[in-house]
Amino acid sequence: MVPTSYYLILSAIIFIIGAVGVLSRRNALIIIMCVEMMLNSVNLTLIAFARQWDNLNGQVFVFMVMAVAAAEVAVGLAILIAHFNLSKTTNIDDVNVMKW
Amino acid sequence: MDFAMIFFILVGALSVATAVGVVTSRVAVHSALFLLVHFATLAILYVTLNAQFLAAAQIIVYAGGIVILILFVIMLIGSAPLETRAGYRSWVPYAGLALGLLMLAGMAMTMLQMPLTPTDPNANQGGAPILLGVQIYSQNILLVELAAVLLLVALLGALLLARQPKTEETTIS
Amino acid sequence: MLESVWLLFALPALGALIILFAGRWMSQKVVGWVASAAVLGAFLVALGLWFSLAGLPAEARSVTVTWWEWMTIGAFHVPAAVLIDPLSVVMALVVTGVGLLIHVYSIGYMEHEPRYQRFFFYMNFFILAMLTLVMSNNFLGMFVGWEGVGLASFLLIGFWFDKRDDMYGWYADAGKKAFIVNRIGDFGMILAMIMVWSTVGTLIFTELGAAVHNLAPTTATIICLLLLLGATGKSAQLPLYIWLPDAMAGPTPVSALIHAATMVTAGVYMIIRTNALWHLSLDAGLTTAWIGMLTALLAASIALVQTDLKKILAYSTISQLGFMIAAAGLGAYGAALFHLVTHAFFKALLFLSAGSVMHATGGILDINRLGGLRHKMPTTYRTFLIGAAALAGIPLFSGFFSKDAILVVELQRNVALYLMGAVAALLTAIYSFRAVFVTFHGQPRDQHIYNHAHESPSVMTIPLWILAVLSVVAGVINLPFVLTLDHWLEPVIGEHEQIPLVLELLGITISIVIAVFGVLIARARYLTHEPWVARLEQPFAFLKPTLEHKWYVDDLYTFFIVSPLKGISGWFARVFDPKVIDGAVNGVGGVINEAGEVVRKVHNGAIPTYALSIFLGVVAVLFYFLFVG
């Protein structure tokens, strides 16, 4: 069997790639995609541990994470569309209304 | 180096490659397609971890739902090239990368010292739909209810947020 | 009867409360009579206490009635209790008796005063506080009364706080001066109390006698000198007497009650009450005697050239208090108390008569504008004459016996003190009859005032007559060789030594000579203007400006103490407070403002930077859990 720690390292790598994506892209859609990637990496970790400790709670939690992620994407995209209707751009560098 | 390990390395590498593809594509549709493949590879990995139902759910929800949604939004919004570049762009990504590598180093140092393997390979059989279903609907029923409420709220919220702003024709008076 | 001592306090308190809350619906006369009735009730209770005490055998004449345990903090224990013994009963009788007469007098005197309700409330409150002072069985209770009478004095001196004239300045300032100067004395009292408790272990008077045996003489001296500081404040001695002449800004009944008969005697009472401590320190006693006599001499000399009738009487009070303090310092407590009692009678009489004169002349008391008033105000003249005779020590009046008792003790102990006392007595005789002759005899100096002068109503003259009778007969309280009062006080002050017959007779003779001579000098100088007086006066003429400036004491205090303090506080108000304190407070706000200006730049509104900070936090927490936690 593949040791659990390998899955954890893979998950960490995917998480980091997602985090860097969030920080470096300007298009808000890409950023939402990267956030989904980060969520998935966490799912992978949870399922790996569910197998490790033979505890089904990990998989149940992943189930809920998927539900939350779906809801979050829906709402996030709705916000994005609303903002686009207002300002005609998806560049998040232009979203700086909370500037001091 | 048995078959499971080779399989894992191949699928893992594909996963990482598509992830990099999501982040670095210039065209938004390409990013969405890379994301689709990434989700698929993750589903395969779930199967190897005895989470069959979740693998199916991953395909249905993520690949078949979320990515489609994103593609629809790309269609609506378009992906025109972006002009303005802010000053912090010069250092924020690299700072993020540095932090990420730091995190990876830390985790690697702790984890590779103790490669974990489940003790009894035949014990983890709970990923089948029936078993997961029994678990969810008996012990974790509250989670199901809360998720239902959450989805309802999200549905309403998304509906409200994405409406067209009120114009003369659309008001009801 | 002794158990009902609470009535002694309850009646004035009740009177005060009734006047305070219901006074606005009561007519002026009713308010005055309610106040007087309260004091009358207190007087009757005091009388009852005296009879009860007299019925007990001499050894048992010290009854403590405890009402409740006031403070118990570890070993520090102070009850709210009353000590009924010969000394406190005598003081209570004087306070309530003279107080009653003055209350009745005030009904007539304060007739035209719009704030009469407040006046009678303050007067009843004063009686309550004074009774607390004299009846309390421990230092702390006495101090509560001490402060209470100080407060009443302040309120009553500045009663007409919106009035201002050339002699007193703002009347409110006179009240302030009294309170502030008294505070210096109170500082001494508090330190003395702290020292007593920390060295002896008890604040209760009856326990002092047994507890002071192991007290070192130096400690006793320090305690007694601190008590003396308190006494000089309250009883207006050097160096803290300066408030009393300014206190004449208050209404005349106030001057009579507080600043002649009762409050200013609190210092003398306090020394007599704590005689257990004074017995241990002869040095402190001698210092007290010297201060008393110096004050007596100083004040008598100033009284000689004063032109305001009340101020003459004020300095006279300071002088006579000096006699009492000196007697207390020398250990002649019986003589001190005797003079206290007779002085209460004749000084109150003199003040009330002066008030009668003020009532007649519309407030003018400058004796250079009066004259010949005995034809227009015969009753006032007669009572004033009796008071002046008692003050001067004319034989067979009460003042003669009491002052002589003090002088004889001084003759026995310290001739220097005796000589000072004799000179002060001579000056007393001169200035008291100067007041009589200039005000009531001779030709009127201001015809307008003379025409308007009239006798006072009987509500004012009856107390005058009662006090006059007392001034004449009170000498029997403590006749030489019979010494009724001294024997009565024995449970409190112990046995007193007999004075040799020779000294007694010598003293009496010299006192008679002094008194008569003084009256003759006054008559010759101010009435018949004979030339031999001018020759007698010649050697002392150089002193006149100094006397008129009251020995420059007030000016010295202003120069050395008041002005520097005012300068310092002015500097604090103008410079320190706005620049340093406000600067510090505003500076803190300013620093925070500046810091905020800098820190707000963190919010650049850019989402990726926020995301970076979140990621940074995640990594930090992860590292914490991996390597530390």
Side-chain angles (χ1 to χ4, degrees):
Chain A
M1 303 201 90
V2 181
T4 311
S5 46
Y6 286 25
Y7 284 100
L8 298 183
I9 299 293
L10 175 66
S11 162
I13 293 173
I14 296 175
F15 185 85
I16 290 161
I17 293 172
V20 171
V22 168
L23 291 170
S24 57
R25 298 300 302 257
R26 274 175 297 152
N27 195 337
L29 276 168
I30 310 291
I31 291 175
I32 291 176
M33 283 194 250
C34 295
V35 170
E36 288 309 307
M37 239 168 42
M38 286 157 75
L39 278 168
N40 273 284
S41 75
V42 172
N43 282 354
L44 185 63
T45 307
L46 281 166
I47 295 176
F49 273 119
R51 185 192 72 156
Q52 169 69 29
W53 306 120
D54 190 19
N55 188 346
L56 219 47
N57 279 330
Q59 298 198 5
V60 172
F61 200 38
V62 168
F63 192 65
M64 298 305 133
V65 171
M66 278 187 191
V68 170
E72 170 232 326
V73 164
V75 175
L77 288 174
I79 291 174
L80 183 61
I81 290 177
H83 177 71
F84 181 78
N85 284 338
L86 191 64
S87 64
K88 306 297 179 220
T89 178
T90 55
N91 187 352
I92 67 161
D93 285 346
D94 291 335
V95 182
N96 57 0
V97 176
M98 294 294 274
K99 186 174 174 165
W100 62 266
Chain B
M1 194 57 93
D2 60 337
F3 174 68
M5 186 62 81
I6 296 175
F7 187 68
F8 168 77
I9 289 174
L10 281 176
V11 174
L14 183 63
S15 180
V16 172
T18 48
V20 173
V22 170
V23 171
T24 55
S25 296
R26 289 285 140 231
V27 182
V29 179
H30 292 179
S31 288
L33 292 172
F34 273 123
L35 191 66
L36 186 69
V37 178
H38 176 76
F39 287 158
T41 56
L42 279 185
I44 297 169
L45 283 175
Y46 291 174
V47 172
T48 63
L49 283 170
N50 272 326
Q52 296 89 350
F53 173 71
L54 284 173
Q58 170 89 355
I59 297 294
I60 296 169
V61 172
Y62 274 104
I66 287 175
V67 175
I68 304 299
L69 200 58
I70 289 176
L71 281 171
F72 265 116
V73 174
I74 293 175
M75 174 189 83
L76 280 173
I77 287 179
S79 53
L82 305 167
E83 296 90 27
T84 51
R85 251 183 171 275
Y88 52 79
R89 287 279 165 210
S90 56
W91 59 274
V92 165
Y94 302 111
L97 186 62
L99 274 175
L101 288 173
L102 195 64
M103 184 173 103
L104 184 63
M107 287 175 71
M109 263 179 17
T110 16
M111 278 194 292
L112 288 178
Q113 286 164 13
M114 35 164 198
L116 299 167
T117 320
T119 44
D120 182 6
N122 294 321
N124 307 300
Q125 300 302 324
I130 187 165
L131 293 169
L132 189 61
V134 166
Q135 170 85 359
I136 286 178
Y137 284 100
S138 59
Q139 284 175 334
N140 302 79
I141 184 73
L142 183 63
L143 277 176
V144 175
E145 302 297 331
L146 286 176
V149 172
L150 177 69
L151 287 169
L152 180 67
V153 170
L155 180 68
L156 289 170
L159 195 70
L160 269 172
L161 281 168
R163 254 192 329 176
Q164 293 288 335
K166 276 206 171 110
T167 55
E168 285 302 313
E169 307 86 63
T170 54
T171 39
I172 306 168
S173 57
Chain C
M1 182 65 218
L2 286 170
E3 287 301 317
S4 51
V5 67
W6 63 275
L7 274 174
L8 192 63
F9 297 88
L11 286 169
L14 190 65
L17 285 172
I18 291 177
I19 295 172
L20 178 64
F21 290 115
R24 75 186 68 189
W25 300 298
M26 297 172 12
S27 83
Q28 196 167 345
K29 285 275 186 283
V30 172
V31 168
W33 284 109
V34 164
S36 306
V39 183
L40 173 65
F43 177 68
L44 291 173
V45 173
L47 213 52
L49 287 174
W50 185 67
F51 275 115
S52 307
L53 211 58
L56 293 171
E59 316 79 51
R61 282 187 192 146
S62 179
V63 179
T64 306
V65 177
T66 310
W67 289 329
W68 71 88
E69 293 306 314
W70 182 13
M71 280 192 234
T72 310
I73 308 171
F76 182 72
H77 169 249
V78 172
V82 159
L83 176 61
I84 309 172
D85 72 356
L87 177 61
S88 62
V89 158
V90 169
M91 291 297 296
L93 279 171
V94 169
V95 168
T96 51
V98 177
L100 170 65
L101 293 170
I102 295 177
H103 271 77
V104 173
Y105 176 92
S106 311
I107 299 175
Y109 186 79
M110 302 294 281
E111 205 173 27
H112 303 295
E113 172 58 50
R115 301 191 199 123
Y116 60 88
Q117 174 195 358
R118 184 193 297 199
F119 179 80
F120 281 105
F121 168 67
Y122 288 161
M123 292 287 272
N124 267 17
F125 169 70
F126 168 78
I127 298 281
L128 178 66
M130 191 71 201
L131 285 171
T132 313
L133 201 162
V134 300
M135 300 292 291
S136 186
N137 87 330
N138 57 72
F139 268 104
L140 211 54
M142 184 177 82
F143 192 66
V144 168
W146 191 272
E147 293 293 319
V149 296
L151 173 67
S153 171
F154 162 76
L155 290 170
L156 283 165
I157 292 173
F159 186 69
W160 292 307
F161 51 80
D162 40 9
K163 218 165 133 188
R164 185 178 204 280
D165 65 20
D166 291 326
M167 184 153 56
Y168 298 109
W170 282 100
Y171 283 25
D173 285 345
K176 259 197 310 186
K177 186 171 179 179
F179 205 84
I180 293 173
V181 174
N182 257 285
R183 216 66 195 114
I184 303 175
D186 295 345
F187 161 72
M189 277 289 290
I190 295 176
L191 282 181
M193 276 199 287
I194 294 174
M195 277 194 74
V196 165
W197 186 70
S198 57
T199 53
V200 177
T202 176
L203 285 180
I204 302 177
F205 295 132
T206 41
E207 292 172 15
L208 270 184
V212 297
H213 286 306
N214 48 357
L215 199 58
T218 341
T219 322
T221 310
I222 297 175
I223 296 177
C224 290
L225 286 176
L226 287 168
L227 286 174
L228 175 63
L229 184 62
T232 57
K234 195 62 87 182
S235 293
Q237 300 296 297
L238 269 173
L240 298 174
Y241 69 88
I242 47 171
W243 62 273
L244 193 53
D246 281 288
M248 296 299 114
T252 310
V254 169
S255 306
L257 182 60
I258 299 184
H259 307 126
T262 43
M263 185 186 92
V264 291
T265 57
V268 182
Y269 164 77
M270 186 258 300
I271 296 179
I272 302 178
R273 180 55 88 195
T274 56
N275 63 76
L277 289 163
W278 292 86
H279 278 308
L280 295 173
S281 169
L282 291 171
D283 295 323
L286 205 57
T287 316
T288 313
W290 273 98
I291 287 183
M293 275 296 117
L294 275 170
T295 315
L297 200 51
L298 184 107
S301 62
I302 298 176
L304 211 47
V305 298
Q306 288 291 315
T307 54
D308 182 86
L309 192 57
K310 271 176 80 172
K311 287 231 170 159
I312 297 177
L313 295 174
Y315 282 105
S316 167
T317 307
I318 300 174
S319 178
Q320 297 303 304
L321 284 167
F323 274 98
M324 290 181 229
I325 294 272
L330 289 174
Y333 302 115
L337 191 66
F338 183 28
H339 199 54
L340 194 159
V341 174
T342 59
H343 176 262
F345 295 145
F346 61 71
K347 196 44 72 63
L349 171 64
L350 283 168
F351 267 110
L352 292 185
S353 310
S356 186
V357 171
M358 269 182 94
H359 188 83
T361 64
I364 309 286
L365 271 186
D366 184 356
I367 56 176
N368 290 334
R369 290 172 70 180
L370 303 173
L373 283 175
R374 68 180 163 138
H375 304 293
K376 298 301 280 287
M377 319 174 61
T379 314
T380 308
Y381 166 63
R382 288 186 198 123
T383 52
F384 194 92
L385 184 61
I386 294 175
L391 175 58
I394 302 288
L396 299 185
F397 284 86
S398 58
F400 165 70
F401 290 112
S402 57
K403 202 185 307 185
D404 181 63
I406 298 177
L407 287 173
V408 158
V409 168
E410 287 178 350
L411 183 59
Q412 184 195 33
R413 296 287 184 80
N414 191 326
V415 181
L417 289 174
Y418 176 73
L419 284 173
M420 289 167 76
V423 173
L426 178 64
L427 291 176
T428 308
I430 297 179
Y431 71 64
S432 52
F433 274 89
R434 165 179 177 251
V436 171
F437 291 138
V438 174
T439 314
F440 292 99
H441 287 249
Q443 296 302 314
R445 294 178 186 78
D446 187 325
Q447 198 61 33
H448 188 77
I449 293 178
Y450 181 74
N451 290 341
H452 281 263
H454 57 277
E455 189 55 82
S456 305
S458 55
V459 75
M460 286 166 69
T461 52
I462 291 182
L464 288 178
W465 274 116
I466 299 178
L467 283 170
V469 167
L470 283 170
S471 303
V472 173
V473 305
V476 304
I477 295 178
N478 206 25
L479 290 171
F481 307 116
V482 181
L483 298 172
T484 326
L485 186 62
D486 278 7
H487 287 305
W488 170 254
L489 281 180
E490 258 162 31
V492 183
I493 61 175
E495 294 277 336
H496 81 108
E497 48 183 299
Q498 296 282 359
I499 302 186
L501 183 61
V502 173
L503 277 178
E504 188 85 46
L505 288 175
L506 182 63
I508 293 178
T509 320
I510 300 183
S511 299
I512 297 178
V513 167
I514 290 174
V516 172
F517 195 43
V519 174
L520 286 175
I521 292 180
R523 183 165 179 276
R525 172 81 172 76
Y526 298 105
L527 191 61
T528 49
H529 302 287
E530 289 172 27
W532 60 270
V533 180
R535 284 201 297 276
L536 202 59
E537 209 181 289
Q538 203 67 11
F540 302 105
F542 72 96
L543 276 176
K544 194 144 192 253
T546 318
L547 290 182
E548 278 176 359
H549 282 102
K550 300 167 280 180
W551 291 89
Y552 300 107
V553 174
D554 266 314
D555 303 317
L556 280 171
Y557 281 161
T558 311
F559 184 73
F560 281 111
I561 298 175
V562 178
S563 297
L565 276 177
K566 275 195 179 165
I568 292 174
S569 32
W571 178 80
F572 270 101
R574 277 189 324 273
V575 174
F576 192 75
D577 193 34
K579 294 217 181 102
V580 175
I581 295 183
D582 284 353
V585 173
N586 292 346
V588 170
V591 163
I592 294 180
N593 252 352
E594 295 294 316
E597 287 285 322
V598 170
V599 172
R600 84 191 247 210
K601 301 265 167 68
V602 170
H603 282 270
N604 56 4
I607 298 174
T609 47
Y610 297 166
L612 181 66
S613 50
I614 295 175
F615 192 35
L616 182 67
V618 167
V619 173
V621 170
L622 178 72
F623 269 62
Y624 175 76
F625 278 115
L626 277 181
F627 297 114
V628 179

